[in-house]
Amino acid sequence: MAAREACSQADYDIQTCILSRTHRFELTPLLTLMKPVLYVYPPSVWATVPELALIELGYAPGAVLRQVVDLSKGENLGPDFYKVTKHATLPVLEADGKHYTSTIEVTKYFVEHAPSPGKTGKHQAVIDAVHAEELDPNFAKIAARCENELGKKQSIGVSRFVSGRHAAAVKYAASQPEMKAFYESKLPQLKELDALFSGTASAEEQQAFFQQSNEHWKKIDSFIWDKLPSYLPRSGFIEGPGPGEADFHVAAWLARIVDCCVDTHSTNCNDDMQALAKELGDEVPEEVERYWTAWGHRESWKTVYRDGLH
């Protein structure tokens, strides 16, 4: 099992390297027909969900080709990716002549076509819960509840990520008049975030962002305390003794939330839970800590998060 998963990771590295060196979004028709193509960005929280699924469900090395879309450079906002999906989000899967353009659709495809049977999800409620806008893990990553937190996130590179995406959208908008409506829907928020992290936002805009961030984290903290434990089993995983469909979504969501809480890269589950406890202002619910530890022992987890949580 470990050897197979090690091969899967090696194949992931090779395929990603090959595809990232080619012109983006241009695969030969033969390759596209032969294998599914999964559009990913390694630090993406939601693109991680199918990555966990592929390993846990026993897909053979090389069964899926990966195409890197660099979110930090705003490549998902460009005209090439717009042809793939108008949602401009990851992950996306091209398979069987179709496009699957949401995390839920992509992961369900892999579950339903898996070499290992019996992993079909029966817990859609928790999947829908972690994908709710009020618990958005992407906003949690950039959220700042005060000036100190904003400064800290500026220092760890959030500013570069935000400014890179805004600059890319401005450039694309100037050269793609046929996509005017798309950019008009994206640019206001990108501009607002760029102002916040570049230090040019007004005091009123900063305070509004701090308030929005505080409210968002209160909802996340409440979910972890009041609702998430009810979805988690006393042992094993949501879908059974081994991880299944719901577990892939919950694990990736929780990893991002914990990543937002830790100050430095950690490979220690206890340190991770202490950081989360500090955020919650109390001990982590026993069910959540037990679930986190169970994932930490999986080879899939060690492979996908080998460079740290994201």
Side-chain angles (χ1 to χ4, degrees):
M1 180 70 162
R4 185 191 72 202
E5 289 166 344
C7 288
S8 296
Q9 180 55 46
D11 178 77
Y12 174 90
D13 292 337
I14 293 170
Q15 295 288 357
T16 299
C17 181
I18 291 172
L19 289 173
S20 64
R21 287 202 301 264
T22 64
H23 183 68
R24 297 202 183 266
F25 319 123
E26 288 187 3
L27 297 175
T28 66
L30 179 60
L31 283 177
T32 303
L33 288 172
M34 288 175 58
K35 296 180 179 181
V37 177
L38 179 63
Y39 292 82
V40 298
Y41 178 60
S44 164
V45 54
W46 292 131
T48 298
V49 178
E51 295 293 4
L52 289 170
L54 285 169
I55 298 174
E56 288 289 347
L57 297 173
Y59 278 80
V64 176
L65 295 175
R66 292 166 175 84
Q67 176 75 323
V68 174
V69 181
D70 193 334
L71 300 183
S72 69
K73 296 179 181 178
E75 289 182 351
N76 62 311
L77 302 171
D80 289 334
F81 194 63
Y82 186 78
K83 297 173 185 176
V84 177
T85 172
K86 293 178 173 57
H87 298 298
T89 57
L90 294 174
V92 172
L93 176 69
E94 292 181 346
D96 303 334
K98 300 179 182 178
H99 286 99
Y100 301 86
T101 59
S102 75
T103 309
I104 293 175
E105 290 176 347
V106 171
T107 307
K108 189 171 290 293
Y109 176 93
F110 287 133
V111 169
E112 293 177 348
H113 293 79
S116 303
K119 296 289 186 177
T120 302
K122 298 179 181 179
H123 300 84
Q124 188 63 39
V126 67
I127 295 175
D128 292 338
V130 295
H131 282 278
E133 185 176 357
E134 64 181 13
L135 301 178
D136 180 13
N138 285 313
F139 184 71
K141 185 72 172 179
I142 64 172
R145 290 163 282 188
C146 62
E147 289 186 12
N148 286 340
E149 190 171 21
L150 180 61
K152 178 181 175 182
K153 295 202 171 183
Q154 288 171 331
S155 69
I156 62 174
V158 175
S159 295
R160 291 192 301 275
F161 181 85
V162 168
S163 64
R165 290 173 55 75
H166 179 244
V170 170
K171 181 186 71 173
Y172 289 134
S175 61
Q176 305 293 327
E178 70 279 9
M179 293 172 60
K180 180 179 179 181
F182 173 77
Y183 291 113
E184 285 180 345
S185 70
K186 300 293 183 182
L187 278 170
Q189 184 181 37
L190 292 170
K191 182 179 180 180
E192 178 184 341
L193 288 173
D194 186 46
L196 282 162
F197 284 93
S198 66
T200 60
S202 67
E204 292 77 11
E205 289 170 331
Q206 277 196 352
Q207 289 303 316
F209 186 68
F210 296 157
Q211 182 177 349
Q212 182 185 8
S213 298
N214 273 291
E215 291 173 354
H216 193 76
W217 269 104
K218 285 178 182 178
K219 291 174 182 176
I220 289 174
D221 293 352
S222 176
F223 176 76
I224 293 174
W225 257 113
D226 301 331
K227 294 184 179 180
L228 182 57
S230 68
Y231 293 115
L232 303 179
R234 292 196 61 80
S235 64
F237 297 86
I238 298 170
E239 300 288 7
E245 185 174 3
D247 295 290
F248 308 140
H249 294 270
V250 173
W253 180 87
L254 188 58
R256 165 57 64 83
I257 299 307
V258 173
D259 179 52
C260 292
C261 299
V262 297
D263 291 327
T264 58
H265 169 56
S266 170
T267 57
N268 187 299
C269 288
N270 290 331
D271 292 343
D272 293 337
M273 289 297 96
Q274 288 176 7
L276 182 59
K278 183 178 180 180
E279 163 60 35
L280 297 174
D282 204 337
E283 293 182 359
V284 177
E286 180 182 350
E287 297 89 344
V288 175
E289 186 169 357
R290 189 164 53 234
Y291 186 73
W292 182 259
T293 301
W295 264 112
H297 294 308
R298 308 290 294 187
E299 288 302 318
S300 61
W301 187 270
K302 296 174 184 178
T303 296
V304 172
Y305 293 110
R306 70 192 187 284
D307 295 326
L309 301 175
H310 53 259

